[in-house]
Amino acid sequence: MLLCIDCGNTNTSFSIWDGNEFLATWRMKSDHARTADQYYVWLSTLMVLNNISVEFSNVIISSTVPRVVFNLRVLSDRYFRVRPLVVGKPDCKLPVLPRVDPGVVPGPDRLANAAGAFVRHGGDVIVVDFGTATNFDVVASDGAYVGGVISPGVNLSLEALHQGAAALPHVDITRPDKVIGTNTVECIQSGVFWGYIGLIEGIVTRIKAEYGQPMKTVGTGGLAPLFGQVDTIFDTIEDDLTMHGLTVIHDFNKDFV
């Protein structure tokens, strides 16, 4: 089995791939101080509870938090006796090289999104990934990552609003029943939800106009289903797109082992 690990600034996800489907996916808060032993106790406990064998033949890691990678490597080496493949490192080959400015190394999550989107949709795709940041990844017709857009994430914006305006409370992110709020909570919810709908629609429209070819728009990440309630914004929503991209990159690297 293959263990896919995707570490973002907020959460780290672990998915177990049996070659045909994901058997399980679990998330924990990203913490660079967490040790390999702590990872193993947490992960092995969940696997036993779900009747999944605690054995892996391969491990692949995508991390936007460099300090976390060391302990994830130790987890793989010590407990699974596997040398992990780390996306973005020289020994990890990509199905198609990104076409960006010289010297620029795109984030490993964006490379995984490109690989997954190409296999599932054939390229000419915009992936909108809702994480700590809201990323727009542009995937060309041959599967290359060719650039994108980075904007502040929804939760990050809410936290900044709360910290910058002491009188404004924390609120849950939800789709409000109406645009015009009649109390503070409704006003904030409307501003966040419809503000991000406007941001997404505006950026996607501009990307398509600049790209000059018909494109599909795919939403992924934790808040994608919420914003996908506006049925004109995405062609499809795929919760496991990044993880699927990791399986694609792993399979491609089999030829080089």
Side-chain angles (χ1 to χ4, degrees), residues 178-214:
K178 52 187 179 180
V179 176
I180 302 173
T182 53
N183 57 64
T184 301
V185 170
E186 287 182 355
C187 289
I188 296 173
Q189 288 175 333
S190 183
V192 171
F193 183 83
W194 292 112
Y196 268 86
I197 290 294
L199 180 146
I200 295 163
E201 289 178 333
I203 291 178
V204 166
T205 297
R206 289 178 180 276
I207 288 174
K208 289 181 176 180
E210 187 173 293
Y211 193 77
Q213 298 288 339

Side-chain angles (χ1 to χ4, degrees), residues 73-89:
R73 283 185 179 272
V74 175
L75 167 71
S76 180
D77 291 333
R78 178 182 298 168
Y79 288 105
F80 306 131
R81 303 292 190 270
V82 172
R83 182 174 182 270
L85 188 66
V86 181
V87 179
K89 298 299 182 182

